[in-house]
Amino acid sequence: MTARESPYKGETGLRRLISAARNSVAGFAEALRCEDAFRQELILAAILLPLAVLVGRNGFERALLAGSVLLVLIVELLNSAVEATVDRISFDNHRLAKRAKDIGSAAVMLALANAGLIWLLILVR
């Protein structure tokens, strides 16, 4: 291990799994606490995921409906991570910081459009 690597990279086996799970739960909790958009999308997911089970005609449709909603949450978490990283580096206005945040926002918009299209196509039948 070089000096640039994380000291946590040496963990293996069960210890690594426990650390990864702990970090994932902490990240989820931080997103709930600090990210308004994530909370709003999580509320929407709490409504749409059970609905996906009810309106999907088969397992494939249910998976598409649920997967599209989960993808929005995943992309929102990644976007929040990008924004937090950019803000950690500097609050100064910089074209590359703006680009990174705008690209993350565009990814969320595409995930939302994807979910909307999938739901529309399945519900309209």
Side-chain angles (χ1 to χ4, degrees):
M1 180 166 55
T2 67
R4 294 178 186 222
E5 290 185 30
S6 168
Y8 303 106
K9 290 289 184 185
E11 292 182 349
T12 59
L14 185 58
R15 176 175 279 172
R16 186 191 68 76
L17 291 174
I18 291 169
S19 290
R22 188 177 298 123
N23 292 337
S24 296
V25 169
F28 197 84
E30 277 297 297
L32 279 172
R33 189 173 69 80
C34 301
E35 300 295 332
D36 290 337
F38 183 73
R39 283 194 301 273
Q40 292 167 352
E41 291 158 354
L42 193 61
I43 290 167
L44 191 59
I47 296 165
L48 291 177
L49 289 173
L51 196 57
V53 175
L54 296 174
V55 301
R57 291 179 291 186
N58 54 48
F60 183 72
E61 284 188 357
R62 290 182 194 109
L64 276 175
L65 293 168
S68 68
V69 172
L70 292 174
L71 181 63
V72 170
L73 295 176
I74 292 165
V75 174
E76 184 62 52
L77 287 170
L78 293 172
N79 180 50
S80 296
V82 167
E83 289 182 352
T85 301
V86 168
D87 290 345
R88 165 64 174 93
I89 294 167
S90 174
F91 286 121
D92 294 342
N93 287 326
H94 190 280
R95 65 181 177 82
L96 293 177
K98 180 178 179 357
R99 182 188 304 171
K101 289 183 172 191
D102 289 352
I103 290 171
S105 180
V108 173
M109 183 184 68
L110 284 177
L112 287 164
N114 176 66
L117 181 62
I118 288 171
W119 278 79
L120 181 68
L121 290 173
I122 290 176
L123 291 176
V124 170
R125 302 180 196 197

